[in-house]
Amino acid sequence: MAVYTDINEVDLKDFLQAYDTGELLSFKGIAEGVENSNFLLHTDRFPLILTLYEKRVDENDLPFYLGLMQHLAERGISCPLPLPRSDGALYGQLCGRPAALISFLEGMWLRKSEARHCRELGVALARMHIAGQDFPLRRENALSLKGWVDLWDKSAARADEVQSGLESEISEELALLEDRWPVDLPEGVIHADLFPDNVFFIGDTLSGVIDFYFACNDFLAYDLAVCLNAWCFEKDRSFNVTKAKALIEGYQSVRPLSAAEIEALPLLARGSALRFFLTRLYDWLTTPEGALVVKKDPLEYLRYLRFHRSVKSAGEYGLS
Amino acid sequence: MAVYTDINEVDLKDFLQAYDTGELLSFKGIAEGVENSNFLLHTDRFPLILTLYEKRVDENDLPFYLGLMQHLAERGISCPLPLPRSDGALYGQLCGRPAALISFLEGMWLRKSEARHCRELGVALARMHIAGQDFPLRRENALSLKGWVDLWDKSAARADEVQSGLESEISEELALLEDRWPVDLPEGVIHADLFPDNVFFIGDTLSGVIDFYFACNDFLAYDLAVCLNAWCFEKDRSFNVTKAKALIEGYQSVRPLSAAEIEALPLLARGSALRFFLTRLYDWLTTPEGALVVKKDPLEYLRYLRFHRSVKSAGEYGLS
């Protein structure tokens, strides 16, 4: 559920003065997303999404996120396009928060995705990676190795409260990943959070990708590893190799992976599983009871991490 | 925040087969309303609201609510129009819940209403009362005198936990209202919950009334008394007589009040304040800590109740 900040019609109309949107007809808070407050606006010309950036998004990163969306949209990637203000800025201020107007993308995120959707996802991901190659801004991945160490430092002492033995298992995993993490794979702008709720479909056709608020520069293959975790495990937490194969084949139909990327994939998937495990664990330990945000179980990602640890080579992900 | 039930695209498309909506392009949960789960749908033809009725709405009452909306819309009242299924029914089943598709009304509810909006509200309320006169179904007001007694029976013993002295004050008030409650004022279908978030405006023009899920048969003037409570107190809980005057004048410009209705208005306003006090008190005492619903302070309505108790005649509401 995500409307942390309510807005009123007087402040909103004031905010919209700087834009060329036509007459405002309605606005409604949307119960999706967990980082920001989102509203769907109808004007007499088009629907729009209004996003108020809450404290988890650093305002200094907004030029990167919004500029990236503009950059990708100009290169034919279907993603939300920030509407510029009359002064050219891509965001303003509303209710004391940075706020942007972005185009509304039709489409639905799939609660029940299938292998054919994973193939579409792979194609779109590779296209996005290529389109991002000449994006001039940079943003380090705050949730890569160093970020994991920081998160773990804050959670390790209480990890065994969640499951006995966690402290030693995760400490060992982190030490191994620090030791073996790749250093020279192809890099570029990655989405870094491409879960099903950030990918829209109309029928079986991918209609758009949203939520670039974790985008950063990192290994391109790491983004694929995130999708392996986010899309290829079933509700019973078993790995669906048919989905993984479709995802990777779709990706490679646009951007073939190098031998080094293929070799690194199981390790990247371990790292990605650890990343989501650690943020969930931190939230689990620090979110007060009764908060509006539904806490997600970190142990789901512990299970995925263990699966990837058991993988001997990327062939087990369906690569032929 | 109100998405209690998430839906998936497979079940939704199945549900939509019984309707003539065109192709579904998107659906998003809406963070408004507290009784039901609401989604905004875009199709290639028009936007729609999908409402899933949660347990607080009795399915046996749906023909009344949905039939009333249809009846009022046919008589030119701007309210949501239920879309009939191909078999003529006004609702179906989705995720094990009764679910209806209703037309999307443009407009915004006002966080900062002014007297001119109260006048518009009064006009719309009176028109709705007249348009409802020939609606053939009946529904008793479950939250009138008898309902108050039932609610109070469940809360009285713990009322002093909320504020010392409440138990005796409310018991006396309830006894007085039982003794003096009118018996022969003009009756009809009333909305019974016409708070600002149920009334939409585009600019200063009232564009529609929503949420008929408390509608019932009762004294027409009681509906006006609800609006006095819901619209005419400021954030500092002071009574704004300018707004009350505008509301009542707007109402009387369409449907003049009888002398008996005017005389009863302070008592009806006491009853209405008590009704919202009692439901809030009950929720306050029974909603578990940490529930997704934000608990509303019952003492706000105690304050309004005391104000109306001090009113000697309807003249104090601005009636000339």
Side-chain angles (χ1 to χ4, degrees):
Chain A
M1 306 279 194
V3 176
Y4 303 100
T5 305
D6 196 25
I7 54 179
N8 69 61
E9 64 284 358
V10 178
D11 293 344
L12 177 57
K13 281 182 188 159
D14 208 43
F15 174 80
L16 292 178
Q17 298 258 313
Y19 291 89
D20 179 26
T21 62
E23 190 194 2
L24 177 67
L25 297 182
S26 62
F27 67 97
K28 292 195 188 300
I30 299 174
E32 294 189 0
V34 291
E35 303 289 329
N36 302 311
S37 296
N38 291 296
F39 298 85
L40 171 55
L41 275 55
H42 285 179
T43 74
D44 57 4
R45 288 168 45 198
F46 37 67
L48 287 163
I49 296 286
L50 167 68
T51 299
L52 269 67
Y53 298 98
E54 304 291 344
K55 62 175 192 280
R56 279 177 88 146
V57 170
D58 182 345
E59 184 171 347
N60 295 320
D61 287 330
L62 286 180
F64 179 89
Y65 301 138
L66 296 168
L68 176 62
M69 288 150 72
Q70 197 175 42
H71 177 95
L72 293 176
E74 282 166 359
R75 278 153 189 79
I77 305 296
S78 181
C79 68
L81 182 63
L83 204 71
R85 291 157 45 100
S86 48
D87 64 4
L90 293 184
Y91 68 95
Q93 300 282 333
L94 180 56
C95 293
R97 284 159 183 76
L101 277 182
I102 55 179
S103 60
F104 180 87
L105 280 193
E106 295 292 356
M108 291 153 269
W109 71 265
L110 302 179
R111 280 70 169 172
K112 300 193 166 188
S113 63
E114 305 193 12
R116 60 181 180 278
H117 306 118
C118 295
R119 171 179 289 277
E120 288 265 314
L121 171 69
V123 169
L125 183 67
R127 283 192 186 140
M128 204 161 59
H129 286 168
I130 291 169
Q133 286 291 307
D134 60 339
F135 181 58
L137 304 184
R138 274 193 69 83
R139 180 176 173 268
E140 291 310 309
N141 187 354
L143 289 171
S144 187
L145 267 182
K146 192 186 164 309
W148 306 341
V149 173
D150 291 346
L151 276 171
W152 183 237
D153 284 347
K154 292 181 198 161
S155 310
R158 291 183 56 201
D160 282 7
E161 289 175 25
V162 177
Q163 184 169 302
S164 166
L166 261 189
E167 190 184 346
S168 66
E169 179 174 352
I170 299 301
S171 294
E172 278 171 39
E173 179 72 23
L174 199 47
L176 179 141
L177 291 177
E178 285 191 277
D179 188 43
R180 297 199 202 159
W181 198 245
V183 287
D184 57 357
L185 296 177
E187 286 188 1
V189 178
I190 68 168
H191 184 284
D193 195 42
L194 210 45
F195 277 73
D197 55 340
N198 289 332
V199 183
F200 290 171
F201 287 79
I202 297 179
D204 285 336
T205 305
L206 193 151
S207 64
V209 170
I210 64 163
D211 198 348
F212 286 80
Y213 303 110
F214 287 98
C216 55
N217 291 77
D218 205 335
F219 301 136
L220 299 178
Y222 178 73
D223 227 6
L224 190 58
V226 170
C227 292
L228 279 175
N229 282 311
W231 288 76
C232 301
F233 288 90
E234 298 299 320
K235 286 210 169 21
D236 67 1
R237 299 189 182 173
S238 65
F239 185 70
N240 184 327
V241 69
T242 310
K243 287 185 174 175
K245 187 174 188 315
L247 169 67
I248 298 172
E249 280 181 3
Y251 188 89
Q252 296 216 84
S253 73
V254 176
R255 179 183 171 268
L257 297 165
S258 70
E261 286 178 302
I262 290 172
E263 195 193 332
L265 206 49
L267 199 77
L268 296 174
R270 282 167 74 164
S272 156
L274 182 68
R275 172 255 183 270
F276 292 106
F277 170 82
L278 287 170
T279 47
R280 287 187 175 195
L281 176 69
Y282 179 78
D283 290 344
W284 191 269
L285 294 172
T286 56
T287 304
E289 289 302 321
L292 284 178
V293 176
V294 176
K295 296 205 276 188
K296 294 177 181 166
D297 182 4
L299 297 179
E300 178 185 347
Y301 276 85
L302 178 65
R303 180 134 170 188
Y304 301 169
L305 173 59
R306 288 175 178 170
F307 169 78
H308 296 301
R309 205 189 281 149
S310 78
V311 164
K312 297 285 175 283
S313 81
E316 293 180 47
Y317 298 138
L319 270 93
S320 46
Chain B
M1 306 279 194
V3 177
Y4 302 101
T5 305
D6 195 24
I7 53 178
N8 69 62
E9 64 282 359
V10 179
D11 293 344
L12 177 56
K13 280 180 189 161
D14 208 44
F15 174 81
L16 293 178
Q17 299 258 314
Y19 293 89
D20 180 27
T21 63
E23 190 193 4
L24 177 66
L25 297 181
S26 62
F27 67 96
K28 292 195 190 300
I30 299 174
E32 293 188 2
V34 291
E35 303 291 328
N36 302 312
S37 296
N38 291 296
F39 298 85
L40 172 55
L41 275 55
H42 285 179
T43 74
D44 59 2
R45 288 169 44 198
F46 36 68
L48 287 163
I49 296 285
L50 167 69
T51 299
L52 268 67
Y53 299 98
E54 304 290 347
K55 61 175 194 277
R56 280 179 86 146
V57 170
D58 183 345
E59 185 171 346
N60 295 320
D61 287 330
L62 286 180
F64 179 89
Y65 301 138
L66 296 168
L68 175 62
M69 286 150 73
Q70 196 175 43
H71 177 96
L72 293 176
E74 282 166 359
R75 279 151 187 81
I77 304 297
S78 180
C79 68
L81 182 63
L83 205 70
R85 290 157 48 99
S86 47
D87 64 3
L90 293 183
Y91 69 95
Q93 299 283 331
L94 180 56
C95 293
R97 286 159 181 75
L101 277 183
I102 54 178
S103 61
F104 179 88
L105 278 193
E106 295 292 356
M108 290 153 273
W109 70 267
L110 301 179
R111 279 73 170 170
K112 298 192 168 189
S113 63
E114 304 192 15
R116 61 180 178 277
H117 305 118
C118 295
R119 171 178 291 276
E120 288 266 312
L121 170 70
V123 169
L125 183 68
R127 284 192 184 142
M128 204 159 60
H129 286 169
I130 290 169
Q133 287 292 308
D134 59 341
F135 181 58
L137 303 184
R138 273 194 68 85
R139 181 178 173 267
E140 292 309 308
N141 187 356
L143 289 170
S144 188
L145 265 182
K146 189 183 167 313
W148 306 341
V149 173
D150 291 346
L151 275 172
W152 183 237
D153 284 346
K154 293 180 197 164
S155 309
R158 291 182 57 200
D160 281 6
E161 290 174 26
V162 177
Q163 185 170 299
S164 166
L166 261 188
E167 191 185 342
S168 66
E169 179 174 352
I170 298 301
S171 294
E172 279 171 37
E173 179 71 25
L174 199 47
L176 179 141
L177 290 177
E178 285 191 276
D179 189 43
R180 297 200 203 159
W181 199 245
V183 285
D184 57 358
L185 296 177
E187 287 189 358
V189 178
I190 68 167
H191 184 284
D193 193 42
L194 210 45
F195 278 73
D197 55 339
N198 290 332
V199 184
F200 290 171
F201 287 80
I202 297 178
D204 286 336
T205 305
L206 192 150
S207 63
V209 170
I210 65 164
D211 199 349
F212 287 78
Y213 304 110
F214 287 98
C216 55
N217 291 75
D218 205 337
F219 302 137
L220 299 178
Y222 178 73
D223 226 5
L224 190 59
V226 170
C227 292
L228 279 175
N229 282 311
W231 289 75
C232 301
F233 288 90
E234 298 299 320
K235 285 209 170 21
D236 68 1
R237 301 187 180 174
S238 65
F239 186 71
N240 184 326
V241 69
T242 309
K243 288 184 174 176
K245 185 173 191 307
L247 169 68
I248 297 171
E249 280 180 3
Y251 188 90
Q252 296 216 84
S253 73
V254 176
R255 180 184 172 268
L257 296 165
S258 70
E261 285 178 302
I262 291 173
E263 196 193 332
L265 206 49
L267 199 75
L268 296 174
R270 283 167 75 164
S272 156
L274 182 68
R275 171 255 183 269
F276 293 105
F277 169 83
L278 287 170
T279 48
R280 286 186 176 197
L281 176 69
Y282 179 77
D283 290 344
W284 192 268
L285 293 172
T286 56
T287 303
E289 288 303 321
L292 284 176
V293 175
V294 176
K295 296 205 275 189
K296 293 177 181 168
D297 182 5
L299 296 179
E300 179 185 346
Y301 276 85
L302 178 66
R303 180 133 172 191
Y304 302 169
L305 172 59
R306 288 176 178 169
F307 169 79
H308 295 301
R309 203 189 283 149
S310 77
V311 164
K312 297 283 174 285
S313 81
E316 293 180 49
Y317 299 138
L319 270 92
S320 47

